[in-house]
Amino acid sequence: MTKRKKKDKKKFSEKLLHKYRLVILNEDTFEERVAFKLSRLNVISLSVIFSILLIVGTSVLIVFTPLKEYIPGYSSSALKQKATRLSLKVDSLENQVAINNNYYQSIRAILSGEIPVEEFNEDSTYKTQISNIKSEELQPTLAENKLRERVESNDKFNLLEQAVQKTDLSLFPPVTGRITEAYNAEIKHYAVDIVTVKDKPVKTVADGTVIFSEWTASTGYVIIIEHSFGLISVYKHNAELLKAQGDLVKSGEVIAITGNTGELSTGPHLHFELWVDGYPVNPQDYITFEE
């Protein structure tokens, strides 16, 4: 039995490695145009490689192109925003149609003699229609509140990616150095602390406008810059501020000097924060601070 199994395995391996000749002939002259030497193992290997390349190529197309929006069940944030705007517009149109219907009914009543002309008031018709709307109808339901919370929790972490994609920018590191305390939302530390030498230049991460440039008792000299699409960068514990509120700055431009100012500072470092539409994000996900 063992010899038979060995013999079968040997035959199987010989079949895999046995060479075959694939010839392409001219149909009219039977002239040999192209010939390939192949084995079954070659065919299987090429099929596997082709399948892997096909799967990888399809995945890349779906992930990095708008084709993913045609996948059933997938919806981009842009489509969600458009659907919300359309929903609000439809709701406004329905309300306007109801007001117009009430107005036309009043006109019909006047023409039929049910209401004297002197008692009709166009403004009162609109007020009556608006007053008929109950305040409870304007309040969101429990299901709507849960849906809003779920959408906000799913989308708020993608805000910076959207801002970067829309502005087509790469964020410039404000300083380089060793990070002593990383971003940690659980303890409400919405920043990274980068240890640097004293009097090192602090640079802005992107083009923007200075919206705050003042001294604070707890964090020393602080400068805050507003960028495009709701992106805000914060720089704290500086020794000196080189830009004033209202100044326009370019990406990589020096805006301050690192220091050790403020009651919460324990040494020369930069406390750096990134916010998008009111939500804090981890700067290390988008900027490399190490030298």
Side-chain angles (χ1 to χ4, degrees):
M1 190 69 177
T2 304
K3 291 182 179 179
R4 186 175 179 180
K5 285 184 179 180
K6 289 182 178 180
K7 189 174 182 181
D8 291 340
K9 288 182 179 179
K10 187 175 181 181
K11 286 183 178 180
F12 179 74
S13 61
E14 288 178 353
K15 287 181 180 180
L16 285 177
L17 298 174
H18 185 74
K19 294 291 185 178
Y20 294 88
R21 187 178 180 84
L22 176 64
V23 180
I24 299 177
L25 302 176
N26 187 316
E27 186 177 359
D28 297 327
T29 63
F30 296 100
E31 178 185 359
E32 181 179 319
R33 304 303 300 269
V34 182
F36 300 96
K37 288 184 179 181
L38 297 171
S39 65
R40 293 178 179 176
L41 183 61
N42 294 141
V43 174
I44 294 172
S45 301
L46 290 174
S47 301
V48 171
I49 293 173
F50 177 77
S51 300
I52 293 174
L53 291 176
L54 181 62
I55 293 172
V56 172
T58 304
S59 301
V60 169
L61 282 175
I62 292 175
V63 173
F64 297 103
T65 67
L67 288 176
K68 56 179 175 289
E69 297 183 6
Y70 295 95
I71 299 175
Y74 178 88
S75 60
S76 64
S77 58
L79 290 176
K80 292 178 183 177
Q81 294 174 1
K82 187 176 181 181
T84 302
R85 289 195 298 269
L86 290 176
S87 178
L88 294 173
K89 186 177 292 186
V90 169
D91 184 65
S92 300
L93 290 175
E94 288 178 349
N95 188 36
Q96 187 63 42
V97 168
I99 293 175
N100 290 338
N101 288 337
N102 190 38
Y103 176 71
Y104 296 146
Q105 289 174 5
S106 301
I107 295 294
R108 191 179 297 111
I110 292 174
L111 295 176
S112 63
E114 297 176 6
I115 301 177
V117 177
E118 56 272 9
E119 294 183 6
F120 176 74
N121 188 331
E122 182 178 349
D123 293 334
S124 65
T125 302
Y126 285 94
K127 291 179 181 178
T128 301
Q129 179 63 32
I130 294 173
S131 63
N132 290 333
I133 300 176
K134 298 179 180 180
S135 60
E136 292 80 3
E137 296 177 357
L138 301 178
Q139 300 299 323
T141 62
L142 181 60
E144 289 176 342
N145 287 330
K146 289 183 178 179
L147 178 61
R148 290 176 182 177
E149 291 176 0
R150 185 166 65 253
V151 171
E152 288 178 358
S153 62
N154 290 338
D155 289 347
K156 70 181 181 180
F157 298 108
N158 299 324
L159 293 173
L160 185 56
E161 289 90 339
Q162 296 172 13
V164 172
Q165 291 172 1
K166 289 178 181 177
T167 54
D168 191 24
L169 55 83
S170 56
L171 299 181
F172 196 92
V175 294
T176 55
R178 182 172 57 88
I179 294 177
T180 55
E181 188 170 359
Y183 176 94
N184 190 341
E186 295 181 357
I187 62 174
K188 297 184 178 181
H189 185 258
Y190 304 121
V192 290
D193 291 335
I194 309 112
V195 173
T196 64
V197 296
K198 192 177 180 181
D199 298 332
K200 189 172 184 178
V202 178
K203 303 174 183 178
T204 179
V205 297
D207 297 353
T209 304
V210 178
I211 60 175
F212 183 86
S213 180
E214 296 290 344
W215 162 270
T216 64
S218 58
T219 55
Y221 286 106
V222 179
I223 185 168
I224 303 176
I225 300 177
E226 182 180 19
H227 310 281
S228 301
F229 299 98
L231 176 63
I232 291 178
S233 57
V234 183
Y235 316 76
K236 297 181 178 180
H237 303 302
N238 299 288
E240 182 181 353
L241 301 178
L242 305 180
K243 298 293 180 180
Q245 183 173 337
D247 288 349
L248 299 178
V249 294
K250 293 292 184 180
S251 178
E253 185 175 353
V254 178
I255 57 175
I257 303 297
T258 58
N260 182 28
T261 58
E263 298 174 355
L264 299 180
S265 181
T266 58
H269 75 287
L270 175 67
H271 177 100
F272 176 71
E273 304 175 13
L274 274 182
W275 295 73
V276 181
D277 289 342
Y279 293 104
V281 294
N282 186 358
Q284 284 187 274
D285 292 340
Y286 311 98
I287 301 175
T288 301
F289 297 95
E290 296 180 0
E291 297 179 350

